[in-house]
């Protein structure tokens, strides 16, 4: 089996489910062709058993225990041996095809979700994306596991047709026409089955989303006494999924029952008609056995075809869901082709007028912290801002960010992400070893990790996690306090050693003494490198090199913290507004603490 995951999951067409499935077929055509060849050989061997058995019976009845009978018995044994090999090896290839398609699709979705970032959560519920990986990718893989049996059945059906027609035209026609009629009757249930499966898939996706939201917000729900309400909603949606599953099961059970009943009735009819022909002397006893064997055998291709249709309907439904996820586009297209500017280039947001000078520790203050965070998100190219008529024809891009002599949009995203790092206000922590959580770029040693934790004053985190640095972070860092999660996030950002580090409210959840220590540590740790901090805390502002006060999306005034306070005393309008924001922030912090 090819090692998985693959280095490049590829770029599939997203025009239709059929195009997507054909693209995946071409990606694994080698192992798929091998499975089909083995499947055809195995199916031909099974189809040859009635023919050889019929010849052996006729030869034995006519000549008794003769070399001819022994030869047919040896041929039958050889066919059994080949069938044994093709059955075992073919099953292995079927599993490989299933895994290749399923895991490649899961990897494809994972890469796309990682690259689109927040765009995916704006377009689709989290549960829908999870269900796509957990369910739809596996459903898609089923059709590739069925391919060998389906094509092998088709080939043997054609071969059997020639054998039957040469022995008895009337009985051969009855067998070859009867089975397609049975298949056509079964096919009538496919469309209702596909429709009900699509309804069930939609309901299951909503249930997963509701469950994820409820679990993630359980603490809040308990705080407001709303957990029973949401539990009731989950129960209600669960019943909808159950009802949809029952509807699918009803159609599926009818199809399964008819798969047994109709071929059985058809087989009984063949035996009855063949017995009459044998009694009339039109066919030999051996030919009757052959016809019976073929009639019984051909129910296997029929069953394989029906299973392939069922798997195909599920694969089509799954492919449509997968395409829906893959069609979500990143709001930051990676179209840059120019090399990044040299180290030490300033970063300028033309919309706000904010300039991050090389090697400077700059604080950004605003009456609306979200406005300051928006500027930093733009400077880190977390999104591209367009004119008021977003995405409308003729809309012109505004708020350009320049990095040295380059537009930020002209630089490849990989270079931007490597050299400009944004750490947002709400820390997002992940399950796994603490060392991996901190060292996202996999180039820090233990001393670097301890130094970053010391800078962010997060030494107490090591006491909260069993085994310290060698311990494991729980899901979303739920075993840590809000301040500890924030400090771990800051340490993680510092360990990137980014040329330009943008921090949004990195100390909002810590006490004043801790905040003062972090501010002083940050100044020393980032000396000589560009750092921009969104904060209105005087403890932070008193440590930075410069402060930019933003009002109505523009830099209103800029200078040192104490210089701005002196300007406020002199009556400068912008400085007065700055002092009011800082004073209000200080009062709010005192109340919170």
């Amino acid at each position: 089996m090819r090692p998985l995951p693959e280095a490049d999951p590829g770029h599939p067409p997203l025009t239709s489910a059929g195009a997507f499935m054909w693209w995946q077929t071409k990606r694994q055509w080698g192992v798929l062709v091998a499975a089909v060849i083995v499947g055809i050989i195995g199916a031909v061997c099974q189809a040859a058993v009635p023919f050889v058995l019929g010849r052996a019976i006729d030869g034995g009845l006519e000549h008794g225990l003769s070399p001819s009978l022994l030869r047919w018995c040896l041929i039958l044994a050889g066919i059994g041996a080949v069938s044994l090999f093709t059955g075992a090896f073919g099953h292995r290839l079927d599993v490989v095809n299933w895994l290749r398609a399923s895991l490649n699709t899961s990897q494809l979705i994972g890469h796309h979700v990682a690259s689109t970032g927040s765009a995916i959560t704006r377009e689709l519920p989290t549960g829908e994306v999870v269900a796509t990986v957990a369910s739809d990718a596996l459903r898609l893989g089923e059709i590739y596991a069925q391919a060998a049996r389906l094509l092998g059945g088709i080939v043997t059906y054609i071969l059997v047709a020639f054998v039957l027609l040469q022995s008895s035209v009337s009985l051969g026609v009855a067998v070859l026409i009867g089975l397609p009629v049975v298949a056509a009757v079964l096919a009538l249930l496919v469309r209702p089955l596909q429709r009900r499966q699509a309804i069930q898939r939609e309901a299951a996706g909503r249930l997963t989303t509701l469950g994820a939201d409820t679990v993630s917000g359980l603490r809040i729900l308990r705080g407001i006494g709303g957990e029973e309400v949401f539990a009731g909603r989950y129960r209600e949606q669960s019943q909808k999924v159950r009802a949809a599953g029952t509807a699918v099961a009803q159609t599926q059970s009818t199809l399964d029952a008819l798969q047994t009943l109709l071929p059985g009735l058809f087989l009984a009819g063949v035996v009855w008609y063949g017995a009459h022909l044998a009694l009339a002397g039109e066919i030999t006893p051996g030919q009757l056995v052959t016809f019976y064997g073929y009639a019984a055998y051909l129910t296997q291709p029929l069953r394989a075809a029906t299973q392939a249709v069922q798997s195909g309907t599920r694969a089509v439904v799954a492919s449509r869901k997968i395409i829906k996820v893959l069609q979500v586009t990143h709001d930051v297209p990676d179209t840059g082709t120019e090399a990044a500017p040299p180290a030490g280039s300033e970063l300028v947001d033309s919309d706000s007028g904010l300039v991050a000078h090389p090697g400077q520790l700059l604080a950004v203050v605003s009456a609306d912290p979200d406005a300051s965070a928006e500027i930093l998100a733009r400077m880190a190219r977390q999104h591209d801002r367009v004119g008021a008529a977003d995405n409308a024809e003729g809309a012109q891009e505004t708020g350009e960010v320049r990095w040295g002599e380059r537009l930020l949009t002209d630089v490849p995203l990989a270079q931007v992400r490597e050299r400009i790092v944004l750490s947002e206000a709400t820390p997002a922590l992940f399950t796994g070893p603490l060392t991996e959580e901190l060292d996202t770029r996999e180039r820090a040693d233990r001393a670097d990790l301890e130094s970053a934790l010391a800078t962010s004053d997060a030494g107490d985190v090591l006491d909260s996690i069993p085994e310290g640095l060698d311990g494991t972070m729980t899901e979303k860092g739920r075993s840590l306090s809000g301040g500890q999660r924030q400090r771990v996030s800051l340490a993680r950002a510092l360990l990137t050693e980014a040329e330009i580090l943008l921090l949004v409210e990195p100390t909002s959840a810590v006490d004043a003494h801790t905040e003062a220590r972090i501010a002083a540590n940050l100044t020393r740790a980032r000396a000589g490198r560009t750092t921009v901090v969104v904060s209105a805390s005087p403890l932070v502002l008193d440590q930075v090199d410069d402060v930019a006060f933003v009002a109505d999306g523009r830099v209103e005034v800029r200078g040192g913290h104490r210089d701005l306070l002196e300007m406020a005393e002199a009556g400068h309008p912008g400085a007065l507004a700055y002092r009011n924001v800082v004073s209000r922030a200080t009062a709010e912090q005192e109340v919170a603490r």
Side-chain angles (χ1 to χ4, degrees), residues 38-208:
V38 173
I40 290 174
I41 293 173
V44 169
C45 287
Q46 293 178 20
V49 170
F51 177 82
V52 174
L53 188 60
R55 293 297 184 273
I57 289 174
D58 282 341
L61 291 176
E62 183 176 352
H63 304 291
L65 296 176
S66 63
S68 175
L69 178 61
L70 178 60
R71 184 172 59 253
W72 285 116
C73 290
L74 291 176
I75 292 174
L76 191 62
I79 291 174
V82 175
S83 297
L84 180 64
F85 171 78
T86 56
F89 191 60
H91 176 71
R92 176 183 175 86
L93 291 174
D94 290 343
V95 173
V96 171
N97 274 300
W98 174 63
L99 290 176
R100 184 75 61 80
S102 298
L103 297 183
N104 184 73
T105 303
S106 297
Q107 184 183 356
L108 188 68
I109 296 171
H111 278 215
H112 186 72
V113 170
S115 65
T116 52
S118 59
I120 196 77
T121 57
R122 289 197 300 270
E123 295 287 336
L124 297 171
T126 303
E128 183 73 16
V129 180
V130 172
T132 303
V133 176
S135 175
D136 294 329
L138 302 179
R139 295 295 191 187
L140 176 65
E142 289 178 1
I143 191 61
Y144 298 96
Q146 297 282 346
R149 287 194 292 273
L150 175 62
L151 295 178
I154 292 174
V155 170
T156 54
Y157 183 84
I158 296 173
L159 294 176
V160 167
F162 286 103
V163 175
L164 292 179
L165 291 175
Q166 289 178 356
S167 301
S168 173
V169 175
S170 59
L171 192 55
V173 170
V175 172
L176 297 177
I177 292 181
L179 282 175
V181 171
V182 172
V185 173
L186 295 176
L188 294 176
L189 295 174
V190 171
R191 186 171 293 276
L193 180 62
Q194 183 177 6
R195 183 174 61 252
R196 292 183 177 185
Q197 285 175 339
I199 294 173
Q200 183 196 28
R201 173 61 181 79
E202 290 286 348
R206 287 193 291 270
L207 180 66
T208 305

Side-chain angles (χ1 to χ4, degrees), residues 37 299 444 554:
I37 292 173
T299 59
R554 295 285 301 175

Side-chain angles (χ1 to χ4, degrees), residues 2 22 121 164 178 198 220 225 248 279 304 322-323 344 387 392 437 439 527 534 547 558 563 584:
R2 180 183 301 173
W22 177 244
T121 57
L164 292 179
I220 297 173
V248 171
L279 291 174
I322 293 168
I323 289 173
E437 174 73 25
D439 186 18
V534 172
V547 179
R558 182 165 176 162
D563 295 335
R584 184 172 70 250

Side-chain angles (χ1 to χ4, degrees), residues 72-394:
W72 285 116
C73 290
L74 291 176
I75 292 174
L76 191 62
I79 291 174
V82 175
S83 297
L84 180 64
F85 171 78
T86 56
F89 191 60
H91 176 71
R92 176 183 175 86
L93 291 174
D94 290 343
V95 173
V96 171
N97 274 300
W98 174 63
L99 290 176
R100 184 75 61 80
S102 298
L103 297 183
N104 184 73
T105 303
S106 297
Q107 184 183 356
L108 188 68
I109 296 171
H111 278 215
H112 186 72
V113 170
S115 65
T116 52
S118 59
I120 196 77
T121 57
R122 289 197 300 270
E123 295 287 336
L124 297 171
T126 303
E128 183 73 16
V129 180
V130 172
T132 303
V133 176
S135 175
D136 294 329
L138 302 179
R139 295 295 191 187
L140 176 65
E142 289 178 1
I143 191 61
Y144 298 96
Q146 297 282 346
R149 287 194 292 273
L150 175 62
L151 295 178
I154 292 174
V155 170
T156 54
Y157 183 84
I158 296 173
L159 294 176
V160 167
F162 286 103
V163 175
L164 292 179
L165 291 175
Q166 289 178 356
S167 301
S168 173
V169 175
S170 59
L171 192 55
V173 170
V175 172
L176 297 177
I177 292 181
L179 282 175
V181 171
V182 172
V185 173
L186 295 176
L188 294 176
L189 295 174
V190 171
R191 186 171 293 276
L193 180 62
Q194 183 177 6
R195 183 174 61 252
R196 292 183 177 185
Q197 285 175 339
I199 294 173
Q200 183 196 28
R201 173 61 181 79
E202 290 286 348
R206 287 193 291 270
L207 180 66
T208 305
T209 299
L210 184 59
D213 289 345
T214 302
V215 171
S216 62
L218 191 58
R219 177 182 293 183
I220 297 173
L221 291 175
R222 285 175 175 169
I224 61 177
E227 67 269 29
E228 285 301 324
V229 174
F230 274 77
R233 293 177 183 174
Y234 187 84
R235 284 193 296 269
E236 181 182 353
Q237 185 61 31
S238 296
Q239 292 304 311
K240 292 180 180 179
V241 174
R242 181 193 61 79
T246 301
V248 171
Q250 288 173 346
T251 306
Q252 184 70 60
S253 61
T254 302
L255 185 59
D256 292 341
L258 290 177
Q259 278 183 316
T260 302
L261 175 63
L262 294 181
L265 292 175
F266 171 73
L267 187 58
V270 169
V271 173
W272 179 83
Y273 183 56
H276 276 277
L277 293 179
L279 291 174
E282 296 184 20
I283 60 175
T284 66
Q287 287 176 324
L288 176 60
V289 172
T290 298
F291 273 101
Y292 172 80
Y294 279 137
Y297 165 75
L298 287 177
T299 59
Q300 296 182 24
L302 175 62
R303 182 176 293 274
T306 306
Q307 291 175 347
V309 169
Q310 294 174 13
S311 298
T313 58
R314 289 193 292 262
V316 169
V317 173
S319 296
R320 289 170 181 168
K321 292 296 181 181
I322 293 168
I323 289 173
K324 188 175 180 181
V325 173
L326 297 179
Q327 284 178 333
V328 176
T329 57
H330 201 313
D331 41 16
V332 182
D334 189 7
T335 56
T337 57
E338 298 185 18
S345 299
E346 64 181 15
L347 191 63
V348 182
D349 177 49
S350 61
D351 195 30
S352 64
L354 183 67
V355 181
H357 296 296
Q360 188 179 61
L361 177 56
L362 169 68
V364 182
V365 181
S366 174
D368 179 10
D370 290 340
S372 302
E374 173 73 14
I375 295 173
L376 264 62
R378 200 161 57 238
M379 295 176 78
R381 206 180 172 215
Q382 295 297 313
H383 61 79
D384 290 337
R385 179 175 175 181
V386 297
D390 284 3
N391 297 325
E393 185 177 355

